[in-house]
Amino acid sequence: MSRTTRTVLPPRVFALADDLSGAAEVAAALGLRGRIVLGPATAPPRDGESVVLDLDTRQLPPADAASAVRAALAYADGGVVLKKIDSLLRGNLAAEAVAYATGARGVVIAPALPVAGRTVREGVVNLHGTALHTTDAWRAEPGAAPVSVGAALGGVPTRVVPLATVRAPGPALHDRLRAVVAEEYHPVCDAETDADLDAIAEAALRLGPGIRLMGTGGLASALGRRLAQVDQVDQVAGAGAGAGLPGWGGDRSTEAERRHPTGTDTPGLARADDVSPAPDGTPSRPLLVVVGTAEPTAVAQIAQLVAAGAFHVPLPAHTLTDRSTRPTLNIRTGVGRAPHGVTVVSIDGTHAVDPGAARDLAAGLAHAVAEAAYDSDLVLTGGETARRVLDALAVRELLPLDQIHHGAVRSRTADGRRVVTRPGSYGDIDSLLRIARALRPGLAPPSGQPVAPSVQPAPLGEPT
């Protein structure tokens, strides 16, 4: 068998997420050339391209969220379709799952995220070995955590596929998935490791067209690994896109698309150094870090940045929700100017804030930082905050570049700025410092300087 030099593209992937940080996480996990689109969708992906659509539905009423899913699926044109869900089962999961399952032969569901200690056994999500519904992970949510994945999916009929079947040799997993789908149920797969998710992705893809996938960034990573294998096989064989996946068909792209898929002719994420630094090697833009998260670790994360020389601006929550008093931040000449070009903005959580005000708080925070954000590189934590800031800047697409750490995805805007998005619930106490150093390598705390205290961020109830 001879090797061909013709460009061969993996099959199209169309992924849906309910917030922007989740969409970026999936784009990086897939590892395919493509785009993050701040919805609504306007066209299906081309062959060899992954499009991850941020539906921005996390804070919407359930009926509106379901409508957004149905509208997006109109652009699922024959490729692999994935619905990203929150690994803690938050958001409008039940309403969106019903809409997503409509019209599908079946939906293979795998909510495990092993890298974050989130596993599934007997259909129950466990957080570091403890059943989700017995933890405080839903402390910022209006209701109680669901007792199982099936309970979280509401009216979607499901059957659990136990870990023993997932790990069984030979075709046992594929056969079980096929049998569950034939009975008009949707399989919920147990998983504790990335190898489990690899097996699920492989078996699900072999079920052929009409099967949709639903899971976290862990399943997206498994899907990306499987499609990378298909791509390698197809390049050796000289086959068309997705020929290594039974039933998915060959290369349907035009000649122009084959020559220049999404601006490139090679698979994989774009390079983080695609845009050159300033001629003198110094950053040409300020760095603005916007923290909109309820997680307790955010306090320590901000403190690490302050110790490294960042300027911290806590904004009172009441000024963000009152349109008549919303502040405006200027990080070059006014309040918020940092001596080393790094400013971190958060919500002053001195007083309790209603978690139900998340969307208004994020909108107010975006308004406050919009002027400063126009000419800055950005670090945005929490999907709701990230989307509201980029909406204020009229950013409609991002090109994913790499992950600084799990979930902290570095992307590029059309004008060359760097944007790092990260779910609010991710990252150790040095997360923001690691991200800032990746964007500004010279940033480091003075020797022996203690970590400075910081103001408690207000809970937005939005971490992914």
Side-chain angles (χ1 to χ4, degrees):
M1 186 179 297
S2 62
R3 183 177 298 273
T4 178
T5 59
R6 184 176 74 83
T7 297
V8 179
L9 307 176
R12 296 181 301 280
V13 177
F14 187 48
L16 311 178
D18 70 353
D19 75 354
L20 183 54
S21 59
E25 180 190 355
V26 167
L30 286 170
L32 305 172
R33 286 281 184 170
R35 298 168 287 138
I36 303 165
V37 176
L38 282 64
T42 58
R46 296 187 291 264
D47 283 291
E49 179 186 49
S50 66
V51 168
V52 185
L53 178 65
D54 171 27
L55 296 172
D56 191 26
T57 55
R58 177 65 67 90
Q59 302 295 334
L60 290 184
D64 293 344
S67 294
V69 171
R70 286 191 293 268
L73 287 172
Y75 295 96
D77 184 23
V80 178
V81 184
L82 169 69
K83 175 71 173 71
K84 192 271 182 188
I85 62 173
D86 180 67
S87 60
L88 299 179
L89 307 179
R90 293 169 296 188
N92 288 302
L93 184 52
E96 293 187 11
V98 171
Y100 185 68
T102 301
R105 277 179 54 216
V107 178
V108 176
I109 304 158
L113 186 62
V115 70
R118 299 166 188 185
T119 58
V120 179
R121 183 178 279 271
E122 298 179 354
V124 175
V125 170
N126 288 267
L127 182 57
H128 300 292
T130 302
L132 172 63
H133 62 279
T134 66
T135 72
D136 67 348
W138 272 50
R139 59 187 173 276
E141 301 301 311
V147 298
S148 68
V149 178
L153 296 176
V156 176
T158 61
R159 289 267 179 89
V160 173
V161 177
L163 197 60
T165 302
V166 170
R167 295 177 175 176
L173 175 57
H174 171 268
D175 291 347
R176 180 57 183 156
L177 294 181
R178 184 174 58 185
V180 171
V181 169
E183 294 169 359
E184 299 186 350
Y185 288 89
H186 304 284
V188 172
C189 299
D190 285 356
E192 294 183 334
T193 67
D194 287 338
D196 296 335
L197 293 172
D198 286 341
I200 293 164
E202 166 76 16
L205 288 172
R206 291 198 171 276
L207 292 175
I211 297 297
R212 297 172 184 166
L213 305 179
M214 177 182 287
T216 66
L219 184 61
S221 292
L223 176 60
R225 289 188 292 269
R226 180 65 183 100
L227 294 181
Q229 294 171 358
V230 171
D231 184 40
Q232 293 169 1
V233 170
D234 287 349
Q235 288 191 48
V236 171
L245 294 177
W248 289 102
D251 188 351
R252 295 172 54 192
S253 57
T254 65
E255 182 63 25
E257 288 170 336
R258 287 194 294 269
R259 290 178 178 174
H260 302 289
T262 321
T264 181
D265 61 357
T266 56
L269 294 175
R271 298 193 311 273
D273 60 355
D274 279 352
V275 177
S276 300
D280 62 357
T282 61
S284 59
R285 302 181 179 92
L287 178 60
L288 178 63
V289 181
V290 184
V291 179
T293 177
E295 292 301 305
T297 54
V299 178
Q301 292 172 354
I302 292 171
Q304 292 271 340
L305 275 183
V306 172
F311 189 85
H312 181 205
V313 182
L315 300 176
H318 73 273
T319 67
L320 299 177
T321 55
D322 184 345
R323 294 179 183 272
S324 65
T325 61
R326 281 180 177 174
T328 300
L329 186 71
N330 187 325
I331 64 176
R332 285 197 183 275
T333 60
V335 175
R337 180 166 53 88
H340 302 294
V342 180
T343 300
V344 56
V345 180
S346 68
I347 300 171
D348 184 344
T350 302
H351 303 289
V353 177
D354 180 7
R359 203 168 183 89
D360 286 342
L361 281 170
L365 189 57
H367 174 85
V369 304
E371 182 177 337
Y374 269 108
D375 63 349
S376 300
D377 289 333
L378 301 171
V379 178
L380 308 171
T381 76
E384 183 74 18
T385 297
R387 178 61 188 256
R388 299 286 79 78
V389 172
L390 294 182
D391 280 349
L393 302 179
V395 173
R396 301 261 56 90
E397 288 190 3
L398 295 171
L399 177 68
L401 301 174
D402 58 15
Q403 284 196 97
I404 296 168
H405 65 68
H406 176 69
V409 180
R410 173 166 34 190
S411 300
R412 191 180 71 206
T413 62
D415 63 3
R417 284 180 297 161
R418 297 299 191 269
V419 176
V420 177
T421 55
R422 195 209 71 190
S425 62
Y426 285 14
D428 295 327
I429 63 170
D430 66 344
S431 169
L432 293 180
L433 184 58
R434 288 175 62 189
I435 293 168
R437 285 176 174 169
L439 297 172
R440 301 291 184 269
L443 183 68
S447 177
Q449 178 174 329
V451 173
S454 189
V455 179
Q456 174 73 44
L460 293 187
E462 66 169 22
T464 299

